[in-house]
Amino acid sequence: MPTKNELRSRAPKSADAGILPSDAKGPLVKTTNAKEDHQKGKTWGRARDVDAWTVFQCFIVMAFCPYLVIYFWHACDAYKCDLVAPVMPLLNAKELSLKVAGEWIMATFPKPTTEGFALFFGWLFFQAALYAFLPGQIGYGQMTPAGFVLPYVVNGLLAWFVTHALYFGASLGLGLFSATLVYDHWGALLVAANVYGYFLTGFSYVKAHLFPTHPADRKFSSSAIYDMFFGIEFNPRLGKMFDFKLFHNGRPGIVAWTLINASFAYAQYVQIGYITNSMVLVNILHAIYVLDFFYNEDWYLRTIDICHDHFGFYLAWGDSVWLPFMYTLQTHYLVRNPVDLSLPYFCAVAALGLFGYYIFRTVNNQKNLVRKTNGDCKIWGKPATFIRTKFITSDGKTHESLLLTSGFWGVSRHFNYVGDLAISLAMCMTCGFGHLLPYFYIVYMYILLIQRIGRDDERCRGKYGEYWVQYGKVVKHKLLPYIY
């Protein structure tokens, strides 16, 4: 692990342009007075003043969203992924009462097992060990509202290869366990993941009050429910480098994504004697997305998850449960409903997915290039155009940043999301059109990205002020030209 001085000597000179400003707080500097030191007055980032309707929505999501995941699991486990069939016993009951409804709900829950808890927490601690001890370069996030530029160990790609090599080496190579291990314990793993997701939410809430990592970056609202849902701490850590946000989103969440898919693919092979081309295609599309994430992990440090979101239920439970169990719905569906795609359809879906990935990666590369060169570069063969902005952190210091207005970023403010949606649709289309369940992912992604566009607009309006208004006049469309 690098020393404090090594971290300082390797720090970039500005968060947005790749260089750390001379007036920025060092990456490991901590403020004191934990009870009083937090975001006050006009700041940018997570909302602080919230209404009752927003608080109610947060409560509903925390209370009932976990059951949505359980319902989807039950639909696949007992009804071959039919979303309507699970509720029919309740609707056909001779007498509908609270007792009958309660019994029906309990019948949909997966059963906890010792093996499930051992597998989940063994997996969690194994990924934590890889995150903490595997070698990796030091990357830096953007400047926080309090003026911090934090270091991160970027070793996700190596962790992904180590994890998959050990899993398949031990299962297919040495025969120590079946490659269907994840599939075989899927329901029990869901129980364990939910327990951990709620525990992590509560722990993060208490930690933010009692022993925060960077007190000056905390945000409190008038609602404990809202604070628990969206989080109080911006970058909670254990020690100097173990970052909650980067670890839980990338490991165990995204590393697990392709491992889950592979286990379900092997389960399909065991059941029908071969792996369908639809299962192969969705595994490839998911793997492209996952490997791109880890190959460009340093880029991820400057995305909305790290640069905007605080760490609460939204990320704690979301990364532990929602990501591994809902992002892999297509392979869950295909192991129970094998689909053999025609060659023309296979090629069309593959082309859509690759096109989406090209848009997604090219758009993000343009922004990265401008940041690295401080705008001294060409986009589409012409000098990059941008708006040079100034913003103020809560410590009263002024900093500079760039808002790109050429290339894809001159077409719309979030054209990268067009690529996201295209590849997400392709993932769903690998399952054909027999059921609605595989298409939940594209519906969810559309809602998520539209919501992110709104949050990003609010955050940037607070951060950049008149510069953001000027940017909106130059780049008028948020997602698709002339549509939105």
Side-chain angles (χ1 to χ4, degrees), residues 50 52 239:
V50 294

Side-chain angles (χ1 to χ4, degrees), residues 124-397:
L124 187 71
F125 288 123
F126 174 68
Q127 289 301 315
L130 294 183
Y131 180 82
F133 298 113
L134 281 182
Q137 295 183 341
I138 301 297
Y140 291 85
Q142 283 187 325
M143 187 173 294
T144 71
F148 292 96
V149 178
L150 302 179
Y152 299 82
V153 178
V154 179
N155 60 9
L157 188 61
L158 180 57
W160 187 91
F161 278 110
V162 169
T163 299
H164 286 69
L166 289 176
Y167 184 86
F168 292 112
S171 59
L172 299 180
L174 300 178
L176 299 180
F177 54 85
S178 173
T180 63
L181 181 68
V182 177
Y183 167 79
D184 295 337
H185 296 276
W186 195 232
L189 287 169
L190 175 55
V191 177
N194 268 290
V195 170
Y196 179 70
Y198 276 105
F199 164 78
L200 183 61
T201 299
F203 176 80
S204 300
Y205 182 82
V206 172
K207 178 184 181 305
H209 284 84
L210 300 182
F211 50 101
T213 306
H214 296 101
D217 266 321
R218 293 179 302 167
K219 264 196 175 181
F220 295 94
S221 73
S222 57
S223 167
I225 293 175
Y226 183 87
D227 287 344
M228 187 170 290
F229 183 83
F230 278 114
I232 296 171
E233 277 201 271
F234 195 51
N235 294 102
R237 294 188 169 197
L238 293 178
K240 295 180 180 179
M241 299 296 289
F242 197 97
D243 186 82
F244 281 30
K245 283 199 287 188
L246 183 60
F247 170 71
H248 284 97
N249 191 57
R251 285 72 59 75
I254 296 183
V255 169
W257 189 345
T258 44
L259 205 63
I260 293 164
N261 284 344
S263 182
F264 275 73
Y266 193 75
Q268 185 187 71
Y269 174 79
V270 171
Q271 292 175 11
I272 65 175
Y274 72 102
I275 300 176
T276 61
N277 60 356
S278 57
M279 181 69 87
V280 171
L281 182 55
V282 74
N283 269 265
I284 291 173
L285 292 176
H286 284 175
I288 289 173
Y289 202 82
V290 168
L291 288 172
D292 176 89
F293 172 88
F294 286 121
Y295 183 78
N296 297 283
E297 191 174 14
D298 182 75
W299 154 82
Y300 175 71
L301 302 178
R302 292 171 292 279
T303 62
I304 191 170
D305 289 341
I306 298 292
C307 299
H308 174 76
D309 293 332
H310 289 238
F311 195 82
F313 179 89
Y314 178 75
L315 290 178
W317 180 87
D319 290 339
S320 302
V321 181
W322 188 266
L323 192 160
F325 286 86
M326 300 300 277
Y327 283 25
T328 56
L329 281 176
Q330 291 81 36
T331 52
H332 300 181
Y333 175 85
L334 290 172
V335 75
R336 296 171 176 90
N337 302 274
V339 175
D340 291 298
L341 305 175
S342 67
L343 182 59
Y345 185 84
F346 179 95
C347 293
V349 174
L352 176 62
L354 293 175
F355 168 76
Y357 173 71
Y358 168 79
I359 294 295
F360 169 79
R361 179 42 48 208
T362 303
V363 175
N364 286 312
N365 282 344
Q366 288 181 349
K367 182 166 66 174
N368 285 343
L369 177 62
V370 171
R371 279 176 171 163
K372 288 180 180 179
T373 61
N374 199 26
D376 187 16
C377 62
K378 290 186 176 181
I379 302 292
W380 288 349
K382 298 180 180 179
T385 61
F386 50 84
I387 297 173
R388 192 173 293 277
T389 72
K390 294 183 179 181
F391 64 94
I392 301 174
T393 48
S394 59
D395 55 8
K397 295 179 180 179

Side-chain angles (χ1 to χ4, degrees), residues 98-126:
L98 289 177
K99 180 181 179 182
V100 171
E103 291 175 349
W104 173 82
I105 291 174
M106 292 306 299
T108 64
F109 273 69
K111 300 297 187 291
T113 66
T114 302
E115 293 85 354
F117 272 83
L119 283 173
F120 178 82
F121 285 98
W123 163 259
L124 187 71
F125 288 123
F126 174 68

Side-chain angles (χ1 to χ4, degrees), residues 60-88:
I60 291 298
V61 172
M62 284 195 291
F64 296 105
C65 207
Y67 184 71
L68 177 64
V69 182
I70 291 170
Y71 183 88
F72 272 66
W73 169 84
H74 181 63
C76 286
D77 186 67
Y79 297 94
K80 300 184 104 174
C81 296
D82 188 321
L83 284 176
V84 177
V87 78
M88 295 310 296

Side-chain angles (χ1 to χ4, degrees), residues 449-465:
L449 296 179
I450 293 299
Q451 187 251 6
R452 279 194 170 194
I453 289 173
R455 286 197 296 133
D456 186 64
D457 182 74
E458 181 181 358
R459 181 183 72 91
C460 290
R461 192 174 300 276
K463 180 178 181 179
Y464 298 118

